[in-house]
Amino acid sequence: SDYSRYKRFLREEFEYECAYCEVREPELGGTQSFCVDHYRPVKKFPKLETNYHNLLYACRYCNQWKSDHWPLLAQKILREIILNPFIHKICSHLD
């Protein structure tokens, strides 16, 4: 019932780095600089609040930047999406 209980598992799964920018814990001062982020925001997808596959280990900066943003239909059509490291190969989207 409490998604924050997954933090230690996500931390290991993401190898102690942010799912979005890949900054590592020592670079930001340790685990207290990281949190559990909801890939699909809880405001729009409340049923996914505790779904493990909707949770990412993120640094505080990326978590604040993403906030509860989710692409609109027009953005999805234009392929303006938020990459999910569980699904997308992030390096293939970078130039």
Side-chain angles (χ1 to χ4, degrees), residues 36-53:
V36 176
D37 179 55
H38 291 89
Y39 175 69
R40 290 180 177 86
V42 174
K43 287 184 180 181
K44 296 176 183 167
F45 303 91
K47 291 182 180 179
L48 296 178
E49 182 174 12
T50 58
N51 183 310
Y52 188 81
H53 297 289

Side-chain angles (χ1 to χ4, degrees), residues 20-81:
Y20 299 110
C21 71
E22 297 182 343
V23 67
R24 297 189 55 77
E25 287 179 356
E27 298 170 60
L28 285 183
T31 185
Q32 66 274 12
S33 298
F34 286 74
C35 54
V36 176
D37 179 55
H38 291 89
Y39 175 69
R40 290 180 177 86
V42 174
K43 287 184 180 181
K44 296 176 183 167
F45 303 91
K47 291 182 180 179
L48 296 178
E49 182 174 12
T50 58
N51 183 310
Y52 188 81
H53 297 289
N54 189 46
L55 304 175
L56 303 172
Y57 192 63
C59 73
R60 65 177 176 244
Y61 300 110
C62 288
N63 190 36
Q64 288 173 348
W65 175 81
K66 183 184 162 286
S67 186
D68 61 354
H69 173 74
W70 191 249
L72 302 170
L73 180 59
Q75 290 173 307
K76 289 179 186 177
I77 291 169
L78 295 172
R79 299 197 41 83
E80 295 174 4
I81 60 172

